[in-house]
Structures are given as structure tokens and as C-alpha cells.
């Protein structure tokens, strides 16, 4: 699996968009970008994943650059409940046995 | 609520003791994976069970062992506990041995003194 780089922490004001970046410059053509988050004292929660096209669901949007070397997770209207650690993971869909979590980005949403 | 349950919620043990943690997967799921999460770190893969067999193991010693029962529930056993085993232990369930849609439980917080 390709290695990912995320900033250790970010702040966002409540109601504003939170844009969480992830670098994955060694990503292979068949590797997807997955995002999970972990709210304090809970297990990780799947958010979204994509290959090369932008994706959107009820939780967030995923923007992947054309060269696929980086991506951004967008929470369009952040709430206090979005305060969590966000993990960007790159892997081949349908393969492997484990999710390789790094340290992620700790997002603090403030009132 | 993802439907994965773990017990107990918290546990305190002494060095050298043995511990057993339990996990019930989400309804309909047949694959269980275990992760260890030390404070301030991301979860680290311990092993995965599918069809009652260990399919893959991460970089963990043999002191860590597991079992999966016919009803797909699973146990994680850790022998000869070390202070460094203090962590949050997470169970995740999925379907058909894949991890594309993996649901995590709330974890068991183990403290070794």
C-alpha cells in the first residue's frame, strides 16, 4: 500500500468547511483513497473512498487531483461532532487483510 | 451504531497475567479483525479471522492469539502481559474475508499495571 502524509492537526470554525489534505505521491493506478475518522473513545468509522473521480456522500466530499498524488476530504459544514482524528488510507480495493492507519489528522471544530 | 459489540469495556490487569477480550460482529458479517491502538497512535493490525481460521497476522508476538467461533464471534487472548500491552483493542467485522466495508466496535481499554 502507498504511504500517506497528513498534517498532525487542524482547526476549523463550526459551520465552515473543513478541508483535510492527504499526500500519496507513490499511489499506484489500482489503489483507492479511503478516509476513516475516529471520534474520541470510539472505533474508526468509514467516511468515503474514491479512485480518481471526485466522490460525494451524505458525510463528505473527496477531491482527488488529476495526477492522483494528493486528495482532500471536505466536510462542507463542520459541526462540533466532527471533532475527530481523520485517517487517509491508500489501498487496492478488494485486497489485503488490514487497514494501515497512520497517525491521521486531529481536527478540532470550535464554536 | 455499527453493530459490533466488544466486552469488557475496560479492564485492568497485572504484568504477567493473561487476558481474554470478546467481540461479536455486526449481524450478517463473518470476518473479524483485531487491532491494537496505543495512545496517540493509529490502530495497528493484529490478525484476522475468517471461517474460524487465522488468515493473516500483523507484527505481533505469539503471546497474542485468537479464536473464532461458529457463530462468527471472536476472542483475543494475550498471555504474559507486559506494560506495553496497555492499549485500546479494537474489533472490526466485515463480509466474506474482505475489508472494503469494515465496521469497528467501540474497543476494550486494557491497562496493565
Amino acid at each position: 500500500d502507498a504511504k500517506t502524509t497528513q498534517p498532525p492537526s487542524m482547526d476549523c470554525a463550526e459551520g465552515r468547511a473543513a478541508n483535510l489534505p492527504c499526500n500519496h505521491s507513490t499511489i499506484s493506478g489500482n489503489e483507492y483513497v479511503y478516509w476513516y475518522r475516529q471520534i474520541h473513545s470510539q472505533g474508526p468509522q468509514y467516511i468515503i473512498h474514491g479512485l480518481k473521480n471526485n466522490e460525494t456522500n451524505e458525510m463528505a466530499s473527496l477531491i482527488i487531483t488529476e495526477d492522483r498524488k494528493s486528495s482532500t476530504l471536505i466536510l462542507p459544514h463542520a459541526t462540533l461532532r466532527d471533532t475527530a482524528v481523520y485517517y487517509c488510507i491508500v489501498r487496492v480495493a478488494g485486497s489485503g487483510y488490514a487497514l494501515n492507519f497512520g497517525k491521521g489528522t486531529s481536527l478540532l471544530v470550535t464554536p | 451504531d455499527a453493530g459490533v459489540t466488544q466486552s469488557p469495556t475496560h479492564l485492568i490487569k497485572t504484568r504477567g497475567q493473561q487476558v481474554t477480550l470478546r467481540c461479536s460482529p455486526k449481524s450478517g458479517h463473518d470476518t473479524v479483525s483485531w487491532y491494537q491502538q496505543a495512545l496517540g497512535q493509529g490502530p495497528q493490525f493484529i490478525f484476522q479471522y475468517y471461517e474460524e481460521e487465522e488468515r493473516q497476522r500483523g507484527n505481533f508476538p505469539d503471546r497474542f492469539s485468537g479464536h473464532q467461533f461458529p457463530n462468527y464471534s471472536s476472542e483475543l487472548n494475550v498471555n504474559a502481559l507486559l506494560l506495553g500491552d496497555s492499549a485500546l483493542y479494537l474489533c472490526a467485522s466485515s463480509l466474506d474475508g474482505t475489508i472494503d466495508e469494515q465496521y469497528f466496535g467501540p474497543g476494550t481499554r486494557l491497562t496493565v499495571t
Side-chain angles (χ1 to χ4, degrees):
Chain A
D1 293 345
K3 183 178 179 179
T4 62
T5 304
Q6 298 178 254
S9 64
M10 294 183 63
D11 292 344
C12 178
E14 189 177 21
R16 303 296 293 271
N19 297 284
L20 294 97
C22 179
N23 285 319
H24 31 78
S25 58
T26 60
I27 191 170
S28 300
N30 61 345
E31 287 183 311
Y32 285 69
V33 180
Y34 286 76
W35 283 85
Y36 282 76
R37 74 178 183 183
Q38 187 173 21
I39 296 170
H40 183 62
S41 298
Q42 297 182 24
Q45 175 191 25
Y46 164 83
I47 300 173
I48 198 168
H49 75 282
L51 182 64
K52 55 183 178 180
N53 297 321
N54 298 339
E55 302 287 345
T56 295
N57 62 20
E58 64 279 4
M59 289 183 66
S61 294
L62 173 60
I63 309 298
I64 302 174
T65 58
E66 191 170 343
D67 63 8
R68 303 210 320 122
K69 292 185 177 182
S70 66
S71 61
T72 301
L73 179 75
I74 301 173
L75 308 178
H77 304 288
T79 71
L80 299 180
R81 288 174 297 180
D82 292 322
T83 292
V85 177
Y86 288 78
Y87 297 98
C88 170
I89 300 171
V90 173
R91 56 178 291 266
V92 178
S95 71
Y97 300 93
L99 293 174
N100 294 319
F101 293 90
K103 291 189 176 181
T105 295
S106 178
L107 174 68
L108 176 64
V109 180
T110 57
Chain B
D1 184 4
V4 179
T5 60
Q6 293 186 242
S7 63
T9 304
H10 296 88
L11 201 55
I12 300 175
K13 289 287 190 178
T14 303
R15 271 183 305 175
Q17 287 187 318
Q18 179 264 344
V19 67
T20 297
L21 311 181
R22 296 175 176 83
C23 171
S24 292
K26 179 180 171 65
S27 178
H29 282 185
D30 58 7
T31 306
V32 173
S33 303
W34 287 93
Y35 290 79
Q36 180 195 65
Q37 185 173 23
L39 202 61
Q41 305 293 321
Q44 298 298 308
F45 175 72
I46 302 175
F47 41 53
Q48 183 190 85
Y49 276 85
Y50 175 62
E51 295 185 337
E52 301 182 47
E53 291 192 359
E54 182 182 301
R55 300 179 74 209
Q56 184 72 19
R57 169 180 285 261
N59 188 25
F60 281 82
D62 292 343
R63 299 187 297 108
F64 290 77
S65 63
H67 188 77
Q68 185 178 36
F69 300 93
N71 66 353
Y72 307 124
S73 67
S74 177
E75 288 182 349
L76 165 65
N77 301 292
V78 187
N79 295 322
L81 284 167
L82 305 173
L83 295 179
D85 295 331
S86 294
L88 180 68
Y89 288 85
L90 294 160
C91 168
S93 76
S94 53
L95 194 57
D96 292 338
T98 68
I99 58 172
D100 288 350
E101 289 191 35
Q102 198 169 45
Y103 290 80
F104 285 81
T108 294
R109 172 70 63 186
L110 172 65
T111 301
V112 182
T113 62

